[in-house]
Amino acid sequence: MKFAVLVASGALLCAVPSQAMDAETFYVKALALKKKGMAAVFSKELKPMARLFEAAADSVKAENEQARIAGKALFCAPKKYRLTAEQFLGEFARIPKDRRRIQTVRDAWREIVIRRFPC
């Protein structure tokens, strides 16, 4: 019975939208992880944040693909690109704090890739 309750509560936690965190909270947590250095690998925050960002990036990529098919791509990124931690945090820092507070991580990433890779 306890196992069933645990599984059910885990399922409910997974059902929470992946965009529940605002971009400012994400940015502050990312800065804290960066300050930990190599110890960040052992942080319990790392995997949930990585999943959150991956979901946001996948969503923006899918939106861009649909826009490209419709004839007006949002951004023109190379097939493979990487940002260093400094570049990644720098791009989030370029978004004004007031706007980061009301944006989702997805919306912030969308703004960043449109700015970095214009067509």
Side-chain angles (χ1 to χ4, degrees), residues 43-105:
S43 173
K44 65 181 180 181
E45 293 283 330
L46 185 63
K47 284 185 182 180
M49 287 188 60
R51 282 192 301 264
L52 174 73
F53 178 74
E54 190 173 307
D58 289 346
S59 176
V60 170
K61 186 177 180 180
E63 180 187 2
N64 188 51
E65 186 61 26
Q66 288 177 341
R68 187 187 63 73
I69 290 169
K72 184 69 175 146
L74 301 173
F75 58 91
C76 297
K79 287 207 183 268
K80 293 268 186 177
Y81 64 91
R82 278 182 107 39
L83 298 177
T84 65
E86 290 79 21
Q87 290 171 327
F88 181 80
L89 292 172
E91 290 294 339
F92 268 88
R94 286 182 61 187
I95 299 171
K97 187 175 186 174
D98 293 339
R99 206 161 71 227
R100 275 196 316 257
R101 286 182 180 156
I102 60 173
Q103 281 183 324
T104 63
V105 174

Side-chain angles (χ1 to χ4, degrees), residues 3-51:
F3 180 74
V5 171
L6 181 63
V7 170
S9 63
L12 287 175
L13 288 175
C14 291
V16 173
S18 64
Q19 298 303 321
M21 187 184 300
D22 62 84
E24 175 65 13
T25 303
F26 181 86
Y27 175 66
V28 169
K29 287 184 175 191
L31 283 174
L33 283 172
K34 184 178 181 291
K35 286 181 184 176
K36 288 183 178 183
M38 290 301 292
V41 173
F42 302 108
S43 173
K44 65 181 180 181
E45 293 283 330
L46 185 63
K47 284 185 182 180
M49 287 188 60
R51 282 192 301 264

